[in-house]
């Protein structure tokens, strides 16, 4: 079995203090994709860069305390790509790809548009650029698993209060239609949904820090494994770890045969 974890850390230093790396060692996953490092290269300790038994590869944002992605792997990658070729978004540290034979593991942190209309416009620009990049990935004929915080809840069952969020970033019609096109037109697979097509509340991966969202499970499913059809068909188990809280997101764990 190949075990792959996606986890938005909301700050690697904060998550570390909350026990993330001890938990990660216990999981013994083959690959751990992390997002929102909120750290620069100078902030990364040896324990962050190379946790026991793992190689780490990272994409740091130019802006301090912002964004950042990484891939931890037990094996040394054959090839590593940092960024996906967009000057605007590569400056924000949103993409790491590691190749292992015919398998590519990608950690992605898609922009949020919730803070301002300007950031929503940036999110739409990202989507417009990322769509052809995803087509190019499919065309390479490799098996790919893209793990990360996509900042979009795809369908009504993917968030608690879908009716009241239809005009909010993360559940806008344009965002949802974009994801539908990835699955229906490009052929990507939402791996969690393949295994759990009807699960609602247990599927959430993010809870707002406002109000009592965590206590009342007012959540959103915005963290995904998006994979090519071949490896997606090998997915056997999917779970969301909520026994400990390392950030405002919960790790998504999927095992592939």
């Amino acid at each position: 079995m190949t075990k792959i974890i996606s986890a938005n850390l909301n700050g690697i230093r904060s998550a570390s203090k909350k026990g993330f790396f001890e938990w990660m060692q216990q999981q013994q996953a083959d690959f751990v994709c992390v997002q929102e490092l909120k750290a620069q290269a100078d902030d990364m300790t040896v324990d962050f860069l190379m946790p026991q038994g793992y190689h780490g590869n990272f994409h740091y944002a130019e802006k301090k305390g912002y964004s950042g992605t990484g891939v931890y792997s037990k094996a040394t990658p054959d090839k590593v790509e940092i960024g996906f070729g967009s000057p605007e978004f590569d400056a924000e540290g949103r993409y790491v790809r590691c190749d292992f034979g015919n398998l590519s593991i990608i950690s992605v942190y898609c922009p949020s548009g919730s803070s301002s209309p300007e950031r929503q416009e940036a999110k739409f620009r990202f989507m417009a650029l990322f769509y052809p990049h995803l087509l190019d990935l499919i065309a390479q004929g490799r098996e790919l698993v893209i793990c990360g915080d996509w900042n979009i809840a795809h369908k009504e069952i993917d968030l608690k209060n879908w009716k009241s969020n239809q005009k909010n970033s993360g559940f806008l019609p344009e965002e949802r239609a974009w994801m539908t096109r990835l699955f229906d037109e490009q052929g990507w697979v939402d791996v969690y949904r393949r295994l759990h097509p009807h699960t609602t509340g247990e599927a959430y991966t993010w809870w707002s820090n406002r109000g009592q969202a965590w206590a009342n499970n007012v959540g959103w499913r915005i963290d995904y494994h998006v994979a090519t059809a071949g490896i997606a068909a090998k997915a056997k188990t999917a779970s969301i770890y909520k026994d400990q809280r390392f950030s405002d997101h919960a790790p998504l764990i999927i095992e592939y045969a």
Side-chain angles (χ1 to χ4, degrees), residues 56-74:
N57 289 278
F58 307 94
H59 188 192
Y60 307 109
E62 293 176 5
K63 180 180 174 182
K64 286 192 172 183
Y66 183 72
S67 189
T69 48
V71 174
Y72 292 108
S73 59
K74 285 189 174 180

Side-chain angles (χ1 to χ4, degrees), residues 77-88:
D78 303 324
K79 182 182 177 184
V80 178
E81 289 185 14
I82 303 297
F84 69 98
S86 160
E88 177 182 5

